[in-house]
């Protein structure tokens, strides 16, 4: 009787991978005589509970005993069975399983049955013995041999003879050496002894030459199971063998692709990626591999020509990767980084132009355009023995980035279509890595440009402060992030300090940061108090978010942002601050004492909590105080409270008299050695006080007769400062500003001159209205004042104060030569 499998159930089984098969050996009377550890794990019965009992109690459910008897008769009549059954575990649960019953023959007319059961509900692609289990489900021929404890054959099925050509009567009471080559037999004996000792399932692959296909080597996969007796002792080993020659090459190709995922693209260097592609394919696919890239690609630039178009220039490539089984051929036909000129009529040029691969199973090295163009290299190719060639384009986004050439010389089998498919898959993966590298180069260039354009090139504090800063982005590859800082010089020798933080990193956060920094600078030019400035900035962020929300193709402009804004006046030595959800500043006095001002936190930008949801606080900062503004990346870390980070930063800054650059370096050293999880920004400002001798102010009555007096007072002060060249212009400025204050207000007037980097003339009044410059008609008697002020000064403007406004104008100080 042959071991022909019959499917009695209509439910097909076509699952690719299953867990370890449970094996039970049953004698001719239906009594279980052998059990495996995998069977115990699957159905819950130990060998002592099963061996010696009828299989009816184990395989089909006990209440189906009558059906089980009919099932046994069918197996005897047909020589086996395969399909799906419902089997009840020892704990009472029912499992849907695949069952295969195979007929085994022994000496004489003795027969036994081998039942293989697999749980459909517990598939696992990582389980052992995959080829055998796949065959169990696909009903492919399986060779089965049962060996005793001395590893001698005692039972075998008919399919095994078709695997190795050994008749069963020559197997009984003999070992493996009578059916396999000595080396393979010894290796399998070692495996089976391990199975007997450990009781676990083991898989081993070996090679053999079946009599039906003697010239061709076949690959077999054998799974070995330890059969246990009633007391759990090993009775022998069951081997189940499958011919895997057909899918072995497919598995080798999958292994190559798996290698590609880990070995190609380890860096963002295009030359290194090309070399990795060449090295991976030799000798797994080819004996020689060459990778040539379009000349612009190694420099981070995409090719100008698209697939199907021509640039009118002869193609020029640069050799980027070479590999060969023969080290002496590595310089054939060119070394790495050498420029390669491609003959326009060659197959290589055609691949570059069309983006389609070229296969030459038999390479003609004696004819063709490329041979005529470069006979020296053609001779090198002939000397190398290359007889088969594949040329595969490296394509990305409708561009050909280069060519990959594969040749065979030692391997006599020419390339076939399936080799080309594998090569194209490998090159596609390499092309993706190369394209990623090109995009990285583009984004890095754009990001560095953003960094140069959006962050201050050099911060200066004028006469008010000395400044130093540090910026460390979390996205070290691109060099930019969402943090920003700025120093803005204001009127009257004052200066504004800004630190902000946009949620996120990289180029998108940097672009958003640039928008907010521009908005802050625009608002700072309006000389708004810190709380009002943050309120306007909050409204700006909400408008940006609303605009981007209407565009479904774009991400929100600002998911979250915080900001701290401070204005320091060196004349009064007072600093006004407000914050929008940003960490509070640190103040370090001249003796090294560190304090954290009690500054209301405010809401992060973009939430719109009221018209003016921010509060300003005014501090007096003695000369020499250090004001530290920073982002949370400097003081926050995982698993650590922010107060710990604040104390650490304060300790680093508590160094009386230390240079600000040194303090910045000390603060940065408090960061961990690992790359920061968030952008880190630090802005330090050491306050200066403007000497009283550089400031002059006068309270003036609100009367027109005051104008000449104001002119005389200003002129006399300029003469005392040695600024005689400015007298005429400043007299005119004072006349216009004081006249406007008298005409539009009814309270006292304050005239103030401040000599710092420029000369500032300020006139304060109690009128809260905003002055506007206009163009008067030819006959108008008024309206030219502010226009004249603008023409006479380098810069002019106004700012609101608590009890009115201040109108100011600036004059450049004369050079020392001009003053003399």
């Amino acid at each position: 009787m042959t071991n022909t499998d019959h499917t009695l159930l209509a439910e097909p089984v076509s699952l690719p991978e299953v867990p370890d098969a449970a094996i039970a050996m049953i004698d001719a009377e239906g009594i279980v005589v052998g059990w495996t550890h995998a069977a115990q794990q699957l159905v819950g019965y130990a060998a002592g509970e099963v061996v010696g009992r009828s299989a009816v109690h184990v395989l089909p459910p006990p209440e189906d005993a009558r059906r089980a008897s009919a099932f046994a008769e069918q197996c005897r009549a047909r020589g086996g069975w395969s399909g799906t059954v419902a089997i009840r575990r020892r704990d009472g649960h029912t499992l849907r399983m695949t069952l295969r019953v195979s007929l085994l023959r022994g000496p004489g007319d003795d027969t036994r049955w081998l039942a293989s059961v697999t749980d459909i509900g517990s598939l696992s692609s990582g389980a052992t013995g995959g080829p055998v289990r796949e065959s169990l489900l696909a009903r492919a021929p399986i060779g089965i041999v049962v060996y005793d404890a001395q590893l001698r054959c005692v039972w075998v099925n008919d399919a095994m003879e078709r695997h190795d050509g050994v008749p069963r009567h020559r197997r009984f009471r003999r070992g493996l050496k009578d059916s396999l080559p000595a080396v393979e037999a010894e290796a399998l004996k070692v495996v089976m002894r391990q199975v007997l000792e450990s009781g676990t399932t083991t898989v081993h692959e070996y090679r053999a030459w079946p009599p039906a296909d003697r010239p061709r080597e076949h690959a077999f996969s054998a799974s070995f199971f330890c059969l246990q007796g009633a007391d759990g002792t090993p009775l022998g080993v069951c081997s189940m063998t499958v011919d895997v020659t057909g899918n072995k090459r497919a598995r080798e190709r999958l292994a190559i692709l798996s290698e590609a995922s880990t070995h190609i693209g380890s860096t963002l260097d295009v030359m290194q990626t090309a070399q990795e592609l060449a090295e991976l394919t030799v000798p797994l696919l080819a004996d020689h591999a060459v990778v040539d890239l379009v000349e612009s690609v190694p420099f981070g630039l995409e090719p100008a020509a698209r697939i199907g178009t021509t640039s009118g220039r002869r193609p020029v490539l640069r050799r980027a990767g070479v590999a060969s089984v023969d080290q002496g051929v590595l310089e054939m036909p060119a070394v790495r980084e050498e420029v390669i000129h491609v003959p326009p009529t060659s197959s290589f040029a055609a691949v570059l132009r069309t983006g389609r691969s070229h296969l030459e199973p038999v390479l003609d090295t004696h004819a063709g355009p490329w041979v005529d163009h470069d006979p020296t290299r053609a001779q090198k190719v002939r000397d190398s023995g290359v007889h088969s060639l594949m040329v595969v384009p490296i394509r990305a986004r409708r561009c050909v980035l280069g060519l990959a050439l594969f040749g065979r010389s030692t391997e006599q089998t020419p390339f076939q279509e399936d080799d080309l498919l594998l090569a194209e898959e490998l090159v596609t993966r390499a092309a993706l890595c190369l394209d990623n590298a090109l995009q990285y180069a583009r984004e890095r260039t754009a990001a560095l440009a953003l960094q140069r354009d959006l962050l201050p090139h050099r911060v200066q504090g004028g006469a008010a402060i000395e400044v130093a800063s540090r910026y460390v982005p979390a996205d070290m590859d691109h060099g930019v992030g969402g943090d920003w800082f700025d120093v803005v010089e204001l009127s009257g020798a004052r200066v504004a300090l800004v630190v902000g933080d946009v949620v996120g990193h990289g180029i998108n956060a940097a672009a958003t940061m640039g928008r907010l920094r521009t908005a802050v600078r625009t608002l700072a030019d309006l000389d708004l108090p810190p709380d009002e400035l943050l309120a306007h900035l909050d409204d700006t962020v909400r408008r940006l978010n609303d605009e981007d929300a209407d565009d479904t193709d774009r991400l929100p402009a600002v998911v979250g942002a915080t900001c701290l804004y401070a204005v320091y006046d060196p004349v009064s030595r007072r600093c006004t601050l407000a914050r929008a959800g940003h960490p509070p500043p640190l103040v370090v006095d001249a003796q090294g004492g560190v304090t954290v001002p009690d500054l209301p936190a405010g809401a992060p930008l973009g939430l719109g909590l009221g018209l003016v949801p921010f509060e300003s606080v005014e501090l007096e900062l003695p000369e020499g105080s250090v004001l530290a503004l920073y982002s949370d990346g400097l003081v926050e870390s995982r698993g650590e409270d922010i107060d710990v980070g604040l104390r650490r930063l304060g300790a680093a800054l508590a160094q009386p008299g230390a240079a600000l650059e040194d303090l910045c370096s000390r603060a940065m050293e408090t960061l961990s050695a690992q790359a920061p999880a968030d952008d880190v920004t630090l802005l330090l400002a050491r306050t200066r006080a403007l000497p009283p001798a550089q400031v002059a102010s006068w309270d003036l009555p609100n009367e027109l007769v005051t104008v000449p007096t104001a002119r005389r007072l200003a002129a006399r002060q300029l003469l005392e400062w040695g600024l005689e060249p400015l007298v005429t212009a400043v007299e005119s400025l004072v006349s216009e500003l004081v006249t406007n204050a008298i005409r539009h207000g009814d309270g006292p007037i304050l005239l103030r001159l401040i000599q710092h980097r420029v000369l500032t003339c300020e006139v304060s009044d109690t009128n809260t209205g905003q002055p506007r410059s206009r163009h008067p008609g030819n006959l108008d008697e008024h309206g030219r004042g502010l226009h004249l002020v603008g023409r006479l000064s380098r810069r002019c403007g106004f700012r609101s104060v608590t009890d009115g406004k201040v109108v100011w104008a600036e004059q450049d100080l004369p050079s020392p030569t001009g003053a003399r």
Side-chain angles (χ1 to χ4, degrees):
M1 181 182 295
T2 60
N3 184 22
T4 303
D5 298 315
H6 301 275
T7 303
L8 300 183
L9 300 184
E11 185 175 344
V13 182
S14 57
L15 299 169
E17 290 286 349
V18 294
D20 287 338
I23 304 297
M25 192 171 180
I26 305 168
D27 65 14
E29 305 300 325
I31 304 301
V32 178
V33 295
W35 196 246
T36 61
H37 181 66
Q40 177 180 344
Q41 288 184 318
L42 190 60
V43 298
Y45 291 97
E49 299 174 282
V50 177
V51 176
R53 303 182 65 186
S54 173
V56 172
H57 297 284
V58 180
L59 296 179
E63 62 268 18
D64 295 338
R66 182 176 301 175
R67 183 182 173 189
S69 298
F71 169 72
E73 290 300 327
Q74 291 175 348
C75 288
R76 292 190 184 98
R78 303 183 182 187
W81 184 88
S82 66
T84 58
V85 294
I87 294 181
R88 183 172 298 163
R89 285 176 48 90
R90 191 175 188 276
D91 58 11
H93 289 85
T94 300
L95 300 178
R96 196 68 176 169
M97 300 189 181
T98 64
L99 171 64
R100 182 165 183 163
V101 180
S102 303
L103 176 65
L104 302 182
R105 301 180 185 276
D109 295 328
D110 293 342
T111 59
R112 286 194 176 179
W113 302 92
L114 195 78
S116 306
V117 180
T118 306
D119 181 10
I120 297 177
S122 56
L123 302 179
S124 171
S125 60
T128 41
V132 170
R133 293 195 313 279
E134 289 178 13
S135 297
L136 286 172
L137 295 177
R139 304 171 186 84
I142 301 175
I144 303 175
V145 183
V146 177
Y147 301 88
D148 60 16
Q150 287 73 42
L151 303 184
R152 295 172 301 189
C153 174
V154 290
W155 303 96
V156 65
N157 73 339
D158 294 333
M160 194 64 199
E161 182 176 346
R162 296 198 294 271
H163 285 334
D164 57 17
V166 179
R168 66 172 180 268
H169 66 272
R170 288 179 48 191
R171 295 180 186 272
F172 295 132
R173 302 301 177 187
R174 295 183 182 182
L176 289 166
K177 64 181 180 180
D178 296 312
S179 57
L180 286 174
V183 176
E184 298 289 1
E186 190 59 35
L188 290 179
K189 285 174 63 177
V190 172
V191 172
M192 288 195 291
R193 289 194 189 99
Q194 293 175 347
V195 171
L196 280 173
E197 294 173 1
S198 64
T200 58
T201 302
T202 302
V203 180
H204 183 77
E205 288 194 1
Y206 66 92
R207 299 175 184 272
W209 288 261
D213 192 14
R214 182 64 68 182
R216 184 183 179 197
E217 180 186 71
H218 281 235
F220 293 91
S221 177
S223 295
F224 298 93
F225 306 85
C226 179
L227 292 173
Q228 299 174 343
D231 56 358
T233 58
L235 298 178
V237 176
C238 171
S239 85
M240 306 179 73
T241 306
V242 180
D243 189 339
V244 294
T245 305
N247 61 8
K248 184 176 186 301
R249 184 161 178 78
R251 284 190 290 158
E252 290 175 349
R253 293 173 182 274
L254 288 175
I256 295 176
L257 293 176
S258 177
E259 288 285 315
S261 63
T262 57
H263 287 79
I264 298 178
S266 60
T267 69
L268 289 171
D269 185 316
V270 294
M271 299 291 283
Q272 178 65 27
T273 300
Q275 182 62 28
E276 289 169 349
L277 171 61
E279 292 177 350
L280 174 69
T281 56
V282 175
L284 296 177
L285 175 64
D287 298 324
H288 316 282
V290 170
V291 180
D292 295 335
L293 299 178
V294 175
E295 191 178 27
S296 62
V297 172
F299 300 99
L301 301 175
E302 286 185 356
R306 299 284 179 176
I307 293 176
T309 64
T310 57
S311 62
R313 299 173 57 247
R314 172 176 291 189
V316 178
L317 305 177
R318 187 176 295 272
R319 184 127 302 168
V322 290
S324 174
V325 294
D326 183 0
Q327 295 299 318
V329 188
L330 283 179
E331 296 187 1
M332 179 282 301
V335 297
R336 286 191 74 196
E337 300 190 9
E338 183 177 342
V339 173
I340 309 296
H341 295 277
V342 181
T345 56
S346 67
S347 57
F348 308 128
V351 173
L352 283 172
R353 184 177 60 256
T354 64
R356 292 192 293 268
S357 301
H358 174 73
L359 171 64
E360 284 193 55
V362 180
L363 177 64
D364 186 359
T365 58
H366 297 278
W370 70 280
V371 175
D372 299 335
H373 175 77
D374 197 339
T376 302
R377 286 181 178 168
Q379 183 60 45
K380 289 184 178 181
V381 173
R382 286 192 288 269
D383 294 341
S384 70
V386 174
H387 60 81
S388 190
L389 178 69
M390 294 187 297
V391 184
V392 180
I394 305 173
R395 296 175 298 186
R397 290 181 293 110
R398 299 195 70 251
C399 287
V400 177
L401 306 181
L403 301 176
L405 287 71
F406 305 99
R408 277 183 177 170
S409 58
T410 305
E411 172 62 52
Q412 295 304 311
T413 305
F415 286 123
Q416 304 296 327
E417 289 293 336
D418 58 342
D419 297 307
L420 183 60
L421 291 175
L422 176 60
E424 288 177 336
E425 178 66 23
L426 292 172
V427 171
T428 297
R429 299 192 180 199
L432 178 61
C433 298
L434 290 171
D435 190 49
N436 288 340
L438 288 176
Q439 291 191 54
Y440 165 79
R442 290 195 300 271
E443 288 189 7
R444 178 171 174 78
T445 300
L448 291 177
L450 274 176
Q451 184 183 34
R452 288 191 299 268
D453 295 340
L454 299 182
L455 292 176
H457 295 196
R458 185 167 59 96
V459 290
Q460 299 183 61
I465 56 172
E466 173 193 358
V467 291
S469 62
R470 290 290 188 276
Y471 172 68
V472 179
D475 187 353
M476 296 299 291
D477 291 335
H478 291 128
V480 293
D483 285 9
W484 88 92
F485 64 93
D486 211 345
V487 179
V488 184
E489 293 188 55
L490 304 176
S491 63
R494 297 169 307 123
V495 66
L497 304 171
V498 191
V499 167
D501 183 1
V502 174
V503 172
H505 317 296
I507 193 167
N508 291 331
T512 301
M513 171 268 288
R515 300 168 79 177
L516 295 188
R517 178 173 178 258
T518 300
V520 170
R521 273 195 161 262
T522 302
L523 294 172
D525 285 341
L526 299 178
D527 246 335
L528 299 175
D531 54 346
E532 292 185 25
L533 183 142
L534 291 182
H536 285 285
L537 186 62
D538 175 71
D539 186 57
T540 299
V541 171
R542 284 191 292 119
R543 284 202 309 273
L544 291 176
N545 284 337
D546 291 342
E547 291 171 4
D548 289 344
D550 295 337
D551 187 351
T552 57
D553 295 332
R554 294 185 58 184
L555 294 175
V558 185
V559 177
T562 63
C563 184
L564 172 62
Y565 186 82
V567 176
Y568 174 69
D569 185 349
V571 177
S572 64
R573 301 187 304 279
R574 302 192 71 81
C575 182
T576 307
L577 312 92
R579 60 180 176 135
H582 202 82
L586 296 184
V587 178
V588 185
D589 60 30
Q591 291 73 41
V594 180
T595 57
V596 180
D598 185 11
L599 181 62
L605 298 172
L607 300 184
L609 302 179
L611 184 60
V612 184
F614 309 104
E615 298 182 47
S616 293
V617 170
E618 191 174 74
L619 306 174
E620 183 172 353
L621 298 179
E623 185 174 10
S625 301
V626 174
L627 186 64
L629 282 68
Y630 53 89
S631 62
D632 53 8
L634 184 59
V635 294
E636 288 186 355
S637 60
R638 294 177 181 174
E640 187 177 79
D641 190 79
I642 188 174
D643 291 338
V644 177
L646 286 174
R647 287 194 295 270
R648 186 169 56 242
L649 175 61
L653 299 179
Q655 307 294 323
L660 291 186
E661 289 293 338
D662 294 340
L663 290 180
C664 282
S665 299
R666 287 177 59 89
M668 291 297 108
E669 290 172 0
T670 63
L671 295 172
S672 64
Q674 299 178 348
D678 197 3
D679 302 325
V680 175
T681 302
L682 176 64
L683 178 63
L684 298 182
R686 177 172 279 134
T687 61
R688 295 168 176 159
L690 212 59
Q694 292 181 232
V695 180
S697 61
W698 301 273
D699 290 317
L700 303 174
N702 194 319
E703 301 173 357
L704 286 177
V705 294
T706 302
V707 176
T709 304
R711 291 167 56 93
R712 288 194 301 272
L713 292 173
R716 185 172 60 192
Q717 186 61 55
L718 292 179
L719 293 176
E720 289 182 10
W721 284 341
L723 301 178
E724 184 177 355
L726 300 182
V727 169
T728 301
V730 171
E731 282 183 330
S732 298
L733 289 174
V734 168
S735 178
E736 293 297 335
L737 295 178
V738 172
T739 299
N740 282 343
I742 294 172
R743 180 173 290 118
H744 300 291
D746 55 4
I749 298 170
L750 175 67
L751 170 64
R752 186 168 71 163
L753 298 180
I754 305 172
Q755 180 191 1
H756 48 110
R757 295 177 62 186
V758 295
L759 177 71
T760 301
C761 176
E762 296 181 348
V763 173
S764 305
D765 60 48
T766 58
N767 187 356
T768 58
Q770 299 181 2
R772 291 185 300 169
S773 177
R774 59 189 180 91
H775 297 283
N778 292 333
L779 301 179
D780 290 348
E781 297 182 5
H782 304 290
R784 297 178 175 81
L786 288 180
H787 181 71
L788 179 62
V789 169
R791 295 292 300 273
L792 290 174
S793 58
R794 67 185 295 272
R795 199 167 66 113
C796 63
F798 75 96
R799 64 179 182 271
S800 299
V801 291
T802 304
D803 51 358
K805 68 176 182 297
V806 176
V807 184
W808 53 269
E810 293 179 350
Q811 284 280 323
D812 286 319
L813 296 177
S815 64
T817 303
R820 285 194 297 269

